[in-house]
Amino acid sequence: MSSTSNQPKKNNFLAGTANYVDERLGVAGVLKEFGRKIFPDHWSFMLGEVALYSFLVLLLSGTFLTFFFDPSMTEVVYDGVYAPLKGAHMSIAYASSLDITFEVRGGLLMRQVHHWSALLFVAAAGLHMLRVFFTGAFRKPREMNWVVGFVLFVLGMGAGFTGYSLPDDLLSGNGLRIIDGMIKGIPFIGTWISSFLFGGEFPGTSIVPRLYSLHIMLIPALILVFLAIHLVMLVVHKHTHYSGAGKKDTNIVGYPLMPVYVAKAGGFFFIVFGVIMLISSFFTINPIWNYGGYDPSPVSAGTQPDWYIGWLDGALRLAPTGMEFMIGDFTVSMNILLPLAVSLIFLALVAVYPFIENWITGDKREHHVLDRPRNAPVRTAIGAAGVMFYAILWAGASTDLIATQFKMSLNQVLTAMQISLIVLPIVSFMVTKRICLSLQRKDREVAIHGRETGRIVRLPHGEYIEVHEPLNEYELYKLVDYKDYQPTLARPNAAGKITVRARIRASLSKFYFKDRVSPATQSEIEEARHHAEEIEQEVQKAIESAK
Amino acid sequence: MMQKLKRKLNGLRRSPRSVIAVLFAGLIVVGSGYTAVNASVSSERTVEYTKEDIEYGKKLFLSNCASCHGKNAEGTANGPSLIGVGAASVDFQVSTGRMPGAASGPQLQVKPVQFTEEEIHAMAAFVASLGAGPSVPDAAYLQANGDPTKGGELFRINCAMCHNAAGAGGALTEGKYAPSLDNSSPKIIYEAMVTGPQNMPVFNDANISPEEKNDIITYLVYLRESASVGGEELGGLGPVVEGLVSWFGLLGIIIAITIWLGAKSN
């Protein structure tokens, strides 16, 4: 190939290099296979990508920060340029964070880039999870990838929290103190874990270097590993697509990775990077110089964690008081254990939801066409209730700010939120389910009778009708293409007994599918069309005779 | 001779009694010096009020304040006694518009000031004449020319738990709150410290000396006047606002872009 004489020299070089590499590594096959991977086009499929790109920005900006950050907790006297701290005693960690902020060229920008992209990373990952949940993308064969994604989300929280604590300012120290308190609230092992973690009594001089090791080594490495698994699974499973004409569980409709998607995705990375850079240039985040170095005695009002830890802080704040009791000499701190248990159960339910739903439906088929949220009313309602529960815990972390900003009583805000935490998820479950069912009924109506045209016709015998316009095939496809699960009955097993397990499954199945709205069937649609044609003929006849 | 004396002195120095004597002497010196300094500080700050000031103040008091605080400022069910609250208290409450109070509630609100400076001065004179209390601070301590580092440290230890480390304010129980200090003048900050209005504790000169109060004022003025280095400050309210901006600003913009990218080319 390289011997064709009429090719320009440059191409010769490229082709030669490609050939060289291919002969040694055999990448042509891989590229051909990988380059032909199909990705469907929809904005909601890019949320995970946003998380991935913010992670890349985190790696880049974080590497820059490690060049200048020193995690030591040795006490020094600050002698930098920031006047209100000159001469103050502080840890080297805080002093080097101040130096990055005020003296390293571009340091403050990089700190802000790192922090904003961290907030974006977890937010985009969270929204991506919601998209996957509400469209049922976690169904077979993707249940395990849901779990991998869940682990990534938790690792993101871990990476965020360990990073939040590194500058050793008052705000992050207050946050660590809360973690210390939570750990110490665990019976029997709490005190030991706390001294193990902090290397003695809080705060000690070991915690920041230890969190630093976790933050820059272990957690990012784990994130990378799980990210790789996540992406490999994505390639193995192929992407899902929304229902539409020609889109089936056996195919995938979209553009190939090469060249369309690579160009698009590459461009999108720079857009995400650019937006992060812009917000970091114009908006302050975590002004550590305002907070001062950490000292265990002062606690600042308005101390909150970053948003992704907020729901855990909220759980602590919303826990009712006075629940602790004594067993012998030990105090059992229910005000810590209850929120801890609630948070862990919530996380566990999120992690195993695909398996629960799969057990209830008993559906062993592979699903590559996504559900429209309305077509899985109970799942969507459970998701809405979960979002509401999370949101109230999250808002619970800012009770004090809500009280001061909206001029309300802190105590009443707390009580209102405690009640809301129980009531609102139930309300949102019911409301969401009703909305889904009525949307389904509307879809069914439109599928059968077509779209209302607003054209009112009076027939010769005096009847008024509105003419409906039937949908075309593409529109119809979307409205009728969904699975119609039916509640299953508890069946006796081989020994002829109906087990408790089977009963639970049957009642859950009833809970999920008893109010279902079946999609319009072919015969219903044809019958309605036939009827519509008859009317149309009558209308035409009437028009003719009027002439 | 010198050798002998030296040995004798050494002996004295090593005897346990001398330790007690030195400690005692030290305590006397430090204690009396401290009292002297304290005394000189409080006498420095007295502002002179004339008899006319007091009389005018009494008239204003009777027509504007007596309905709640009593004709002789002895207090009623609706308002506390003002005997011994001092001129600083009157100056703080009235010149921030908190007094006269518009309505009972968890806490008096800042509102437009109802009196002129002379009237406030006269009312302060009248209340000061009822009994000894903190007086209006000397201008020397309101210059914001102290040590901001020390002020910051004192602020974080004594004030930040209610007013927030950056002075943004914070919530207290049952609708009460510690206000933001962004718009408080040095005089108001000083008077708040010495009088402890509403839910605030009193930080008298033995707790925090006038010089240290000046340091705190210096720190707060520095925070207020220095330009934000990191860009727009988002209200200085910390991670909650940052979280909201990251969801509804940052992620919002990016979602708008994904919708644009995902839109069909037609």
Side-chain angles (χ1 to χ4, degrees):
Chain A
M1 189 174 152
S2 55
S3 61
T4 35
S5 52
N6 56 354
Q7 290 274 325
K9 211 168 165 58
K10 208 171 133 208
N11 272 1
N12 268 340
F13 176 71
L14 264 183
T17 315
N19 202 32
Y20 181 92
V21 174
D22 185 39
E23 276 171 4
R24 280 151 189 84
L25 298 172
V27 287
V30 178
L31 254 178
K32 197 173 153 197
E33 173 63 27
F34 197 69
R36 293 299 302 163
K37 279 280 159 211
I38 299 296
F39 280 89
D41 229 5
H42 193 273
W43 69 269
S44 69
F45 296 156
M46 291 184 218
L47 296 170
E49 240 177 293
V50 176
L52 175 65
Y53 298 152
S54 352
F55 183 67
L56 292 182
V57 177
L58 278 169
L59 284 183
L60 292 173
S61 54
T63 307
F64 179 91
L65 293 175
T66 60
F67 295 163
F68 305 99
F69 180 70
D70 182 346
S72 162
M73 286 177 90
T74 309
E75 193 173 298
V76 287
V77 175
Y78 178 66
D79 192 27
V81 294
Y82 187 62
L85 287 171
K86 222 176 173 99
H89 291 256
M90 58 178 64
S91 65
I92 289 181
Y94 185 52
S96 69
S97 307
L98 288 174
D99 290 345
I100 290 173
T101 306
F102 293 110
E103 288 170 64
V104 173
R105 196 173 294 255
L108 177 58
L109 180 64
M110 278 300 151
R111 258 198 60 225
Q112 303 205 139
V113 165
H114 197 65
H115 207 141
W116 279 121
S117 49
L119 297 192
L120 179 66
F121 172 58
V122 196
L127 203 61
H128 172 61
M129 273 177 99
L130 290 179
R131 195 281 290 170
V132 167
F133 181 87
F134 284 112
T135 57
F138 56 78
R139 290 170 301 168
K140 191 182 172 186
R142 297 183 180 77
E143 304 99 316
M144 280 166 69
N145 217 10
W146 166 267
V147 177
V148 170
F150 168 82
V151 171
L152 276 169
F153 186 74
V154 174
L155 282 172
M157 283 167 55
F161 187 79
T162 50
Y164 174 89
S165 305
L166 293 183
D168 203 23
D169 58 315
L170 188 57
L171 188 66
S172 71
N174 286 166
L176 270 181
R177 186 50 153 170
I178 294 171
I179 295 291
D180 177 49
M182 278 186 87
I183 294 172
K184 281 181 177 154
I186 302 169
F188 307 115
I189 53 169
T191 323
W192 303 99
I193 293 181
S194 168
S195 358
F196 171 68
L197 187 67
F198 289 91
E201 187 50 60
F202 177 88
T205 52
S206 321
I207 189 68
V208 172
R210 285 177 184 180
L211 290 177
Y212 188 60
S213 304
L214 295 176
H215 183 75
I216 68 161
M217 214 160 62
L218 187 65
I219 296 179
L222 283 175
I223 290 181
L224 278 172
V225 168
F226 278 91
L227 208 56
I229 299 174
H230 204 58
L231 293 179
V232 166
M233 280 199 192
L234 166 77
V235 170
V236 170
H237 294 146
K238 300 181 180 62
H239 210 286
T240 51
H241 48 188
Y242 285 107
S243 68
K247 298 182 179 179
K248 296 182 225 155
D249 274 335
T250 48
N251 69 1
I252 167 84
V253 179
Y255 294 103
L257 196 64
M258 285 289 229
V260 180
Y261 237 85
V262 164
K264 256 194 173 181
F268 190 41
F269 167 68
F270 288 106
I271 290 176
V272 172
F273 202 163
V275 173
I276 293 173
M277 288 306 281
L278 275 178
I279 196 164
S280 308
S281 321
F282 289 110
F283 295 96
T284 310
I285 189 163
N286 197 17
I288 49 164
W289 54 92
N290 276 346
Y291 303 134
Y294 184 56
D295 165 357
S297 54
V299 174
S300 168
T303 296
Q304 274 96 9
D306 275 347
W307 79 260
Y308 42 82
I309 303 290
W311 69 286
L312 297 168
D313 189 29
L316 277 179
R317 291 190 191 204
L318 296 190
T321 48
M323 293 184 299
E324 47 281 313
F325 56 89
M326 304 277 289
I327 298 178
D329 282 345
F330 296 100
T331 307
V332 182
S333 307
M334 289 308 289
N335 51 346
I336 285 169
L337 292 177
L338 181 72
L340 209 59
V342 167
S343 322
L344 289 177
I345 290 170
F346 181 76
L347 281 178
L349 283 177
V350 172
V352 302
Y353 182 82
F355 305 100
I356 297 176
E357 194 187 293
N358 190 260
W359 178 62
I360 295 168
T361 58
D363 189 351
K364 302 272 188 296
R365 291 169 293 183
E366 284 202 3
H367 294 282
H368 297 285
V369 175
L370 295 171
D371 278 332
R372 296 172 83 205
R374 68 184 64 171
N375 291 334
V378 173
R379 179 208 296 148
T380 304
I382 288 174
V387 168
M388 185 55 85
F389 186 76
Y390 181 94
I392 291 170
L393 286 181
W394 184 17
S398 51
T399 42
D400 53 334
L401 281 180
I402 292 172
T404 51
Q405 297 301 306
F406 300 105
K407 302 209 181 299
M408 292 190 281
S409 157
L410 178 64
N411 308 48
Q412 285 167 10
V413 171
L414 262 177
T415 312
M417 284 202 176
Q418 286 169 334
I419 296 169
S420 308
L421 186 67
I422 312 293
V423 174
L424 285 191
I426 298 172
V427 171
S428 43
F429 177 87
M430 294 193 292
V431 170
T432 310
K433 190 177 161 193
R434 287 297 130 195
I435 291 174
C436 286
L437 288 174
S438 28
L439 284 172
Q440 273 189 303
R441 289 201 186 92
K442 190 207 77 181
D443 279 357
R444 193 184 147 81
E445 184 69 23
V446 172
I448 293 176
H449 297 295
R451 206 180 291 109
E452 292 176 359
T453 57
R455 204 177 123 216
I456 310 289
V457 174
R458 187 180 167 201
L459 298 181
H461 56 271
E463 183 191 354
Y464 284 96
I465 56 156
E466 183 183 5
V467 178
H468 282 64
E469 187 189 330
L471 300 178
N472 67 33
E473 288 303 309
Y474 290 92
E475 291 165 325
L476 193 60
Y477 203 103
K478 205 170 135 186
L479 298 189
V480 297
D481 176 39
Y482 65 90
K483 287 161 195 92
D484 180 29
Y485 293 108
Q486 298 186 4
T488 51
L489 292 175
R491 288 179 198 286
N493 61 9
K497 270 185 75 178
I498 298 179
T499 56
V500 179
R501 210 178 126 90
R503 280 181 206 281
I504 294 173
R505 197 182 145 192
S507 57
L508 281 173
S509 174
K510 197 175 153 199
F511 170 73
Y512 262 70
F513 304 118
K514 66 168 184 230
D515 303 326
R516 76 194 189 286
V517 175
S518 314
T521 60
Q522 189 65 29
S523 57
E524 280 172 318
I525 292 171
E526 268 166 18
E527 196 189 330
R529 290 221 167 146
H530 185 65
H531 182 64
E533 273 161 25
E534 275 175 4
I535 291 175
E536 188 60 28
Q537 276 167 12
E538 211 173 325
V539 171
Q540 291 304 331
K541 238 182 355 202
I543 293 171
E544 288 297 318
S545 62
K547 277 177 184 169
Chain B
M1 181 66 197
M2 279 300 279
Q3 285 280 330
K4 220 176 174 182
L5 190 68
K6 221 174 178 178
R7 214 172 299 142
K8 204 178 169 189
L9 276 175
N10 264 344
L12 265 179
R13 213 161 65 200
R14 281 180 190 147
S15 92
R17 241 173 295 166
S18 70
V19 174
I20 296 169
V22 166
L23 260 179
F24 197 68
L27 278 175
I28 287 174
V29 169
V30 171
S32 52
Y34 190 76
T35 324
V37 165
N38 248 354
S40 70
V41 159
S42 22
S43 60
E44 240 177 86
R45 290 197 289 112
T46 26
V47 180
E48 290 300 316
Y49 295 115
T50 63
K51 219 177 157 198
E52 289 78 51
D53 283 342
I54 295 174
E55 260 164 36
Y56 182 39
K58 186 168 185 177
K59 268 188 205 158
L60 287 167
F61 181 85
L62 285 172
S63 51
N64 292 293
C65 321
S67 57
C68 296
H69 290 292
K71 275 185 200 153
N72 302 309
E74 75 280 19
T76 70
N78 298 325
S81 160
L82 299 186
I83 297 166
V85 299
S89 232
V90 178
D91 194 58
F92 175 86
Q93 301 284 357
V94 183
S95 65
T96 55
R98 287 185 169 88
M99 274 286 150
S104 61
Q107 190 162 319
L108 290 169
Q109 307 285 321
V110 170
K111 59 177 184 298
V113 184
Q114 307 291 312
F115 295 96
T116 64
E117 264 180 51
E118 291 105 63
E119 287 167 337
I120 297 170
H121 179 78
M123 283 188 282
F126 170 67
V127 170
S129 75
L130 298 173
S135 46
V136 175
D138 194 280
Y141 299 118
L142 309 176
Q143 301 305 312
N145 56 0
D147 175 359
T149 305
K150 196 169 175 214
E153 217 164 287
L154 287 167
F155 185 82
R156 283 189 285 279
I157 292 172
N158 295 290
C159 322
M161 57 282 285
C162 298
H163 286 286
N164 170 286
L172 303 174
T173 54
E174 304 287 2
K176 291 172 282 207
Y177 61 92
S180 156
L181 303 177
D182 280 352
N183 301 312
S184 307
S185 70
K187 192 178 172 202
I188 292 301
I189 296 170
Y190 196 105
E191 286 171 348
M193 285 191 273
V194 288
T195 63
Q198 308 201 33
N199 300 291
M200 185 166 158
V202 172
F203 295 92
N204 61 28
D205 290 356
N207 275 334
I208 296 177
S209 72
E211 286 79 11
E212 289 171 334
K213 289 191 173 96
N214 186 26
D215 291 343
I216 291 177
I217 290 168
T218 311
Y219 171 70
L220 289 172
V221 168
Y222 184 97
L223 280 192
R224 185 188 308 171
E225 288 182 356
S226 52
S228 165
V229 285
E232 178 56 45
E233 278 190 308
L234 302 172
L237 293 174
V240 170
V241 183
E242 290 162 6
L244 289 176
V245 170
S246 63
W247 267 89
F248 299 107
L250 189 51
L251 192 55
I253 293 170
I254 285 173
I255 287 174
I257 293 170
T258 60
I259 292 173
W260 172 57
L261 285 177
K264 296 235 161 58
S265 50
N266 59 15

